[in-house]
Amino acid sequence: MDDIVIKTFSLVTLTTVTFLPGGCAMSEPWTLAEGQHPQSLEKQMSDTVGTRFLLYLPEGYNKIDGKKWPLIVFLHGSGERGDDIEKVKAHGPPKMLETQKDFPFIVVSPQAAAHTNWNSNSLTVLLDEVIARLPVDVDRIYLTGLSRGGHGTWNMAADHPERFAAIAPVCGAGDVKSACHLKNIPIWAFHGEKDTVVSLQDDAAMVAAVKACGGDVEFTVYPGVGHDSWTQTYANPALYEWFLQHKRKPVEP
């Protein structure tokens, strides 16, 4: 483990899940505290799945017995990949949570390794572990991400539509062939009109494909804005109010 990782995780308990003969798992509990803190997860499936992530716990999350909290999963863009967890705080909810202390969600912000795309299998392992360890309301799990994380949001939700109450992809684009998988998930997508990194037309095509399947999609296009459509999106309280209006729906065939 290099110096960066040692420093990054010096204030928390590293989590290693070790499988014993017969497939049973032993795992150490996370050290939990209010606010946003780095954590890690390592879990052996057919291969070992590991990820670093920021975990934000709202004030008083453990003071009301039986209370379940809504969860936001945030996927960062290309520039935040790597092994320095502090980079994940550059944009979106992790940046906001450095100063805002009254956010009424649990927030999980994983970090993708350098030169990789978001992987639905590893994200599913992380999501399952968070649900197992924390008081998450499984009917109010929301997924959002920007740029490469916007692509990941479209793709993860299409792969696992039964998991999410609503999604908000920002300046991303999905695979129109999977659009009908999303017809039961409320979607609010965002894009800059002048984006030269991720094509507005590709995102618009995904929105149109979901609508053609009967899906519920809002699409906000910011006039004159380039690739950075995330700053105003995540600064807008209306996004989080919109999340809380939605609970998970049964997935129709």
Side-chain angles (χ1 to χ4, degrees):
M1 183 177 292
D2 59 35
D3 290 342
I4 293 177
V5 176
I6 291 170
K7 292 176 182 177
T8 300
F9 295 101
S10 61
L11 299 180
V12 298
T13 299
L14 291 179
T15 302
T16 302
V17 180
T18 304
F19 280 76
L20 300 174
C24 297
M26 289 194 316
S27 59
E28 296 296 326
W30 294 330
T31 299
L32 302 178
E34 294 174 0
Q36 181 169 247
H37 303 281
Q39 309 277 7
S40 79
L41 171 67
E42 182 178 332
K43 192 162 187 176
Q44 183 177 343
M45 307 296 281
S46 56
D47 295 312
T48 298
V49 175
T51 187
R52 296 176 175 84
F53 59 101
L54 293 172
L55 174 63
Y56 170 84
L57 298 176
E59 290 185 356
Y61 87 97
N62 61 348
K63 292 184 172 61
I64 303 175
D65 289 342
K67 179 178 174 62
K68 299 290 186 179
W69 291 86
L71 168 67
I72 292 175
V73 179
F74 168 72
L75 306 181
H76 61 69
S78 296
E80 292 75 63
R81 294 177 294 177
D83 59 7
D84 181 358
I85 194 68
E86 294 298 310
K87 293 171 67 175
V88 179
K89 299 176 182 178
H91 306 295
K95 179 179 180 180
M96 177 182 67
L97 292 171
E98 286 296 279
T99 56
Q100 183 171 339
K101 304 303 182 185
D102 58 348
F103 197 58
F105 299 83
I106 294 172
V107 182
V108 171
S109 304
Q111 184 176 39
H115 312 299
T116 64
N117 291 318
W118 289 108
N119 180 282
S120 291
N121 290 334
S122 61
L123 289 172
T124 298
V125 170
L126 175 60
L127 180 57
D128 287 343
E129 198 74 13
V130 169
I131 291 170
R133 292 171 180 252
L134 298 173
V136 172
D137 183 342
V138 295
D139 290 323
R140 294 190 295 166
I141 298 175
Y142 310 104
L143 178 64
T144 186
L146 62 91
S147 194
R148 189 175 296 271
H151 294 284
T153 297
W154 283 116
N155 295 336
M156 174 68 176
D159 289 342
H160 298 284
E162 76 284 357
R163 305 301 298 263
F164 302 105
I167 67 171
V170 182
C171 58
D175 181 353
V176 295
K177 293 181 289 187
S178 68
C180 289
H181 297 174
L182 299 165
K183 64 182 181 179
N184 296 316
I185 305 176
I187 300 167
W188 191 357
F190 302 84
H191 218 105
E193 179 193 23
K194 302 294 186 181
D195 194 334
T196 59
V197 178
V198 178
S199 169
L200 171 60
Q201 286 70 32
D202 288 348
D203 211 4
M206 187 64 182
V207 168
V210 175
K211 287 184 176 180
C213 295
D216 174 14
V217 190
E218 297 183 40
F219 191 31
T220 296
V221 177
Y222 298 114
V225 172
H227 192 46
D228 180 6
S229 51
W230 53 81
T231 297
Q232 54 190 310
T233 296
Y234 290 118
N236 186 354
L239 173 62
Y240 309 105
E241 294 167 4
W242 178 82
F243 276 150
L244 292 174
Q245 292 170 11
H246 299 290
K247 290 192 173 184
R248 181 175 56 165
K249 299 176 183 177
V251 176
E252 299 175 4

